[in-house]
Short mmCIF file of all heavy atoms in Angstrom, two decimals:
data_model
loop_
_atom_site.label_atom_id
_atom_site.label_comp_id
_atom_site.label_asym_id
_atom_site.label_seq_id
_atom_site.Cartn_x
_atom_site.Cartn_y
_atom_site.Cartn_z
N ARG U 317 -31.18 -14.55 -3.49
CA ARG U 317 -31.55 -15.68 -2.62
C ARG U 317 -30.91 -15.43 -1.26
O ARG U 317 -29.81 -15.90 -0.98
CB ARG U 317 -30.99 -16.97 -3.17
CG ARG U 317 -31.41 -17.30 -4.59
CD ARG U 317 -31.29 -18.78 -4.81
NE ARG U 317 -31.36 -19.21 -6.19
CZ ARG U 317 -32.16 -18.72 -7.13
NH1 ARG U 317 -32.94 -17.72 -6.86
NH2 ARG U 317 -32.15 -19.22 -8.34
N LEU U 318 -31.62 -14.67 -0.46
CA LEU U 318 -31.08 -14.28 0.83
C LEU U 318 -31.62 -15.21 1.91
O LEU U 318 -32.82 -15.42 2.00
CB LEU U 318 -31.50 -12.84 1.11
CG LEU U 318 -30.66 -12.04 2.10
CD1 LEU U 318 -29.21 -11.93 1.63
CD2 LEU U 318 -31.26 -10.64 2.25
N VAL U 319 -30.72 -15.74 2.73
CA VAL U 319 -31.12 -16.60 3.84
C VAL U 319 -30.57 -16.01 5.12
O VAL U 319 -29.38 -15.66 5.20
CB VAL U 319 -30.61 -18.05 3.65
CG1 VAL U 319 -30.81 -18.87 4.92
CG2 VAL U 319 -31.34 -18.74 2.48
N CYS U 320 -31.46 -15.87 6.11
CA CYS U 320 -31.05 -15.31 7.39
C CYS U 320 -30.98 -16.43 8.42
O CYS U 320 -31.93 -17.21 8.54
CB CYS U 320 -32.05 -14.24 7.81
SG CYS U 320 -31.63 -13.49 9.39
N VAL U 321 -29.87 -16.53 9.12
CA VAL U 321 -29.71 -17.57 10.14
C VAL U 321 -29.60 -16.89 11.51
O VAL U 321 -28.87 -15.91 11.67
CB VAL U 321 -28.49 -18.48 9.85
CG1 VAL U 321 -28.77 -19.36 8.65
CG2 VAL U 321 -27.22 -17.68 9.64
N ALA U 322 -30.36 -17.43 12.48
CA ALA U 322 -30.49 -16.74 13.77
C ALA U 322 -29.60 -17.36 14.84
O ALA U 322 -29.57 -18.58 15.02
CB ALA U 322 -31.95 -16.80 14.23
N ASN U 323 -28.87 -16.50 15.53
CA ASN U 323 -28.15 -16.94 16.73
C ASN U 323 -29.15 -17.20 17.85
O ASN U 323 -30.18 -16.53 17.95
CB ASN U 323 -27.15 -15.88 17.18
CG ASN U 323 -25.96 -15.78 16.25
OD1 ASN U 323 -25.74 -16.66 15.41
ND2 ASN U 323 -25.19 -14.71 16.40
N THR U 324 -28.83 -18.18 18.70
CA THR U 324 -29.65 -18.48 19.87
C THR U 324 -28.68 -18.59 21.06
O THR U 324 -27.46 -18.56 20.86
CB THR U 324 -30.40 -19.82 19.70
OG1 THR U 324 -29.43 -20.88 19.75
CG2 THR U 324 -31.16 -19.88 18.40
N PRO U 325 -29.22 -18.73 22.26
CA PRO U 325 -28.31 -18.89 23.41
C PRO U 325 -27.35 -20.09 23.25
O PRO U 325 -26.27 -20.09 23.82
CB PRO U 325 -29.28 -19.10 24.58
CG PRO U 325 -30.53 -18.39 24.16
CD PRO U 325 -30.61 -18.59 22.68
N ASP U 326 -27.74 -21.07 22.44
CA ASP U 326 -26.91 -22.27 22.28
C ASP U 326 -26.09 -22.31 21.01
O ASP U 326 -25.20 -23.14 20.86
CB ASP U 326 -27.80 -23.54 22.24
CG ASP U 326 -28.71 -23.61 23.44
OD1 ASP U 326 -28.25 -23.25 24.53
OD2 ASP U 326 -29.89 -23.99 23.26
N THR U 327 -26.44 -21.47 20.04
CA THR U 327 -25.86 -21.60 18.70
C THR U 327 -25.37 -20.26 18.17
O THR U 327 -26.09 -19.26 18.23
CB THR U 327 -26.92 -22.14 17.70
OG1 THR U 327 -27.47 -23.35 18.26
CG2 THR U 327 -26.30 -22.45 16.36
N HIS U 328 -24.14 -20.27 17.62
CA HIS U 328 -23.61 -19.07 16.98
C HIS U 328 -23.36 -19.37 15.51
O HIS U 328 -22.75 -20.39 15.17
CB HIS U 328 -22.31 -18.62 17.66
CG HIS U 328 -21.75 -17.38 17.05
ND1 HIS U 328 -22.14 -16.12 17.46
CD2 HIS U 328 -20.85 -17.19 16.06
CE1 HIS U 328 -21.49 -15.21 16.74
NE2 HIS U 328 -20.71 -15.83 15.88
N ASN U 329 -23.80 -18.46 14.64
CA ASN U 329 -23.62 -18.62 13.20
C ASN U 329 -22.62 -17.60 12.66
O ASN U 329 -22.52 -16.48 13.17
CB ASN U 329 -24.94 -18.38 12.47
CG ASN U 329 -25.99 -19.42 12.83
OD1 ASN U 329 -25.99 -20.51 12.28
ND2 ASN U 329 -26.86 -19.08 13.78
N ALA U 330 -21.90 -17.99 11.61
CA ALA U 330 -21.03 -17.04 10.91
C ALA U 330 -20.97 -17.41 9.44
O ALA U 330 -21.20 -18.57 9.08
CB ALA U 330 -19.63 -17.03 11.52
N ILE U 331 -20.67 -16.44 8.59
CA ILE U 331 -20.65 -16.68 7.15
C ILE U 331 -19.26 -16.47 6.57
O ILE U 331 -18.44 -15.71 7.09
CB ILE U 331 -21.68 -15.81 6.40
CG1 ILE U 331 -21.37 -14.31 6.58
CG2 ILE U 331 -23.08 -16.12 6.87
CD1 ILE U 331 -22.29 -13.43 5.75
N VAL U 332 -19.02 -17.17 5.46
CA VAL U 332 -17.73 -17.10 4.77
C VAL U 332 -17.99 -17.52 3.33
O VAL U 332 -19.03 -18.10 3.02
CB VAL U 332 -16.71 -18.06 5.43
CG1 VAL U 332 -17.16 -19.52 5.35
CG2 VAL U 332 -15.31 -17.91 4.83
N CYS U 333 -17.10 -17.17 2.42
CA CYS U 333 -17.11 -17.75 1.08
C CYS U 333 -15.70 -18.24 0.82
O CYS U 333 -14.81 -17.43 0.59
CB CYS U 333 -17.56 -16.75 0.02
SG CYS U 333 -17.43 -17.42 -1.66
N THR U 334 -15.52 -19.56 0.88
CA THR U 334 -14.16 -20.09 0.73
C THR U 334 -13.71 -20.07 -0.73
O THR U 334 -12.52 -20.14 -1.01
CB THR U 334 -14.08 -21.55 1.24
OG1 THR U 334 -14.96 -22.36 0.46
CG2 THR U 334 -14.45 -21.63 2.71
N LEU U 335 -14.67 -20.00 -1.67
CA LEU U 335 -14.31 -20.10 -3.08
C LEU U 335 -13.92 -18.76 -3.68
O LEU U 335 -13.00 -18.66 -4.48
CB LEU U 335 -15.48 -20.68 -3.88
CG LEU U 335 -15.83 -22.13 -3.59
CD1 LEU U 335 -17.06 -22.53 -4.37
CD2 LEU U 335 -14.67 -23.05 -3.94
#
Side-chain angles (χ1 to χ4, degrees):
Chain U
R317 304 203 194 321
L318 202 60
V319 169
C320 180
V321 289
N323 288 346
T324 70
D326 306 321
T327 307
H328 181 87
N329 296 278
I331 62 175
V332 62
C333 175
T334 61
L335 292 176

